[in-house]
Amino acid sequence: MRDIVFTRRSGWIPNVIREDGELKLMLGAGADANHDPRTFTFPIGEAHLAVIQEDLARHLLLWSAVLPLCDAAGTRGRLDENAAAALLDPILLSAPADVDALFRRIPWDRGRLIAHGAGIDLLERGQVCAALRTATETSDGKRAQEYHANRRRAERGTVLGPLDAAILRYTGQYLHGSTIPKRMPDAVDPALLREVVRVVATAEQACAGMRIGRDPRRGKRATDKRDWDRMATAVETAVRRAHAELADEAVRSVSFLMCSEASDRSRSAPMDDDEEAAGGPARKTALSFTDDKGVEKKWVQGGPRSATAEFWEFVGDRSASDNEVFTIEDEKMGEGVQVHFYADSIARVTTVREGRGGSDPEYRVEYSLVDGMGGYRKLVSTFVLGGCAALDRHGSWMSDVAEFERARRRRDAK
């Protein structure tokens, strides 16, 4: 039989229960192997209950000191009740100076106390009892998150000025640098918002006209990493030039915002139509697309989508780590291109002589290295617009396989 004897407004602060006639402290901490919360209990006395009921600060300090023991129990282990019970008198019944001395010797959960209003400067000086004079039953998890974020910055040697912090709050990056950024003007002190907007305007001007294209080699919603890096470099260079006082973390945050917004625009748009960008409709009337698994898709002029858009959609649907070779073939003209994503290369294939009387046709195969996704886009759209002959002016084409492999090794060695 279990009865609750004492509880506070915050459900996470440990409760006092009576179980089979015995007083116990009960707290939730950690998780089991199924990620469900674990609950621990250990015996306490009537004198301990009296302090817990009357003194929020001592109650929180006890909680903070017991939590590391719960962490040590892991997902299935038992709480070391002897170690937990050994904390009761020193924390609940000792003089403040003795409690402070104890907390300099034992592990304890600093973030839990900060979330409940403990004074950070006093905690840092080891005056835990004085720090808990401002404690509250309600918890502010964001306060603890900000403390840990600032501790990590201090460990890296990063010092933020007021404008740096305001920029990180504006982009939502103050607590976690990996959080997807967004514009949050309400999170910024109004006195600093105008300066933040001025920095963001510098970034917007630096990347005006730039875009981050899709990279169907990595899936339907993936974007081009080279485009991202190019935009990030442009933004960071401009912001550092115009606002030299900013910390690197703030500059990267603005860059991350610009690139993320450009990526979102790209992902939400239809697959790029490279033929229109290249300046004209496709001269090809019918093409077939195939992948390395033998799957084929036909395209015929006059449909709702261009040949390049259909091809890159096909790549986005089918591309995988074991499916990195795709072919575009014009059967009528006897020519095609084969892209090799695993090797950053492309081959163009033209029919030299048709097969007659049971003889095999003769083909000319030429290879060229490709510079990233942008290079693939240019070569594919050029082929769709003008066939293999139009590719002459793009790239260095080699018919000797050994020569091509040497060129590829030289490039990869750089």
Side-chain angles (χ1 to χ4, degrees), residues 2-8 13-19 22-27 42 44-46 48-50 52-53 59 62:
R2 174 182 291 180
D3 296 315
I4 294 179
V5 176
F6 178 72
T7 185
R8 294 190 183 275
I13 299 177
N15 298 324
V16 178
I17 64 170
R18 193 178 299 277
E19 190 171 50
E22 185 179 22
L23 283 177
K24 293 183 178 181
L25 194 74
M26 181 177 72
L27 69 157
F42 64 95
I44 66 171
E46 293 288 348
H48 304 133
L49 170 60
I52 288 171
Q53 289 175 316
H59 193 179
L62 177 61

Side-chain angles (χ1 to χ4, degrees), residues 144-374:
Q145 288 178 322
E146 290 192 356
Y147 169 78
H148 288 303
N150 288 329
R151 280 282 294 253
R152 290 192 297 270
R153 290 188 180 100
E155 290 168 359
R156 299 194 303 266
T158 299
V159 178
L160 297 181
L163 181 57
D164 298 315
I167 289 171
L168 292 170
R169 294 185 191 281
Y170 179 88
T171 62
Q173 301 285 291
Y174 189 86
L175 298 181
H176 302 289
S178 60
T179 303
I180 296 175
K182 54 186 176 181
R183 302 186 187 219
M184 302 169 61
D186 292 344
V188 179
D189 182 341
L192 290 169
L193 183 57
R194 178 175 294 184
E195 281 299 301
V196 171
V197 171
R198 191 164 69 90
V199 173
V200 173
T202 300
E204 291 172 332
Q205 186 176 2
C207 62
M210 300 180 73
R211 60 190 292 274
I212 297 179
R214 303 270 280 277
D215 188 349
R217 298 174 298 178
R218 299 190 293 120
K220 295 187 69 171
R221 291 181 54 78
T223 51
D224 191 336
K225 185 179 183 300
R226 285 196 178 191
D227 286 351
W228 179 294
D229 291 343
R230 187 159 41 246
M231 182 178 289
T233 299
V235 169
E236 291 176 17
T237 300
V239 171
R240 285 193 175 98
R241 184 184 302 120
H243 309 278
E245 75 283 3
L246 291 179
D248 285 347
E249 187 175 349
V251 174
R252 288 193 299 269
S253 179
V254 176
S255 166
F256 193 8
L257 176 67
M258 296 296 107
C259 292
S260 293
E261 290 180 341
S263 292
D264 286 343
R265 289 192 295 270
S266 179
R267 290 190 188 101
S268 61
M271 191 62 76
D272 301 340
D273 189 339
D274 294 324
E275 294 156 35
E276 290 185 3
R283 297 179 190 174
K284 300 292 186 182
T285 58
L287 296 169
S288 65
F289 311 140
T290 55
D291 67 2
D292 213 20
K293 302 292 185 180
V295 175
E296 183 176 14
K297 182 177 183 178
K298 297 286 188 180
W299 172 84
V300 179
Q301 194 178 59
R305 307 189 64 190
S306 70
T308 55
E310 286 281 1
F311 174 70
W312 292 121
E313 188 79 26
F314 179 68
V315 171
D317 287 334
R318 301 288 306 163
S319 182
S321 59
D322 62 346
N323 195 22
E324 297 185 288
V325 177
F326 290 81
T327 301
I328 311 174
E329 185 177 0
D330 183 342
E331 295 179 4
K332 182 179 179 181
M333 297 299 295
E335 62 180 6
V337 292
Q338 187 177 71
V339 296
H340 313 124
F341 294 142
Y342 68 91
D344 287 329
S345 65
I346 189 171
R348 64 175 178 178
V349 183
T350 53
T351 303
V352 176
R353 179 178 56 81
E354 298 285 350
R356 294 188 179 88
S359 63
D360 293 332
E362 181 182 344
Y363 300 105
R364 180 170 66 251
V365 182
E366 299 167 291
Y367 303 90
S368 181
L369 301 175
V370 180
D371 186 17
M373 191 61 215

Side-chain angles (χ1 to χ4, degrees), residues 27-80:
L27 69 157
D32 62 20
N34 295 320
H35 306 290
D36 293 324
R38 296 199 70 191
T39 299
F40 300 94
T41 63
F42 64 95
I44 66 171
E46 293 288 348
H48 304 133
L49 170 60
V51 175
I52 288 171
Q53 289 175 316
E54 297 298 325
D55 194 332
L56 171 63
R58 298 288 180 123
H59 193 179
L60 293 173
L61 286 168
L62 177 61
W63 184 26
S64 171
V66 172
L67 281 172
L69 299 177
C70 298
D71 292 338
T75 59
R76 289 184 294 182
R78 294 176 59 84
L79 176 68
D80 186 341

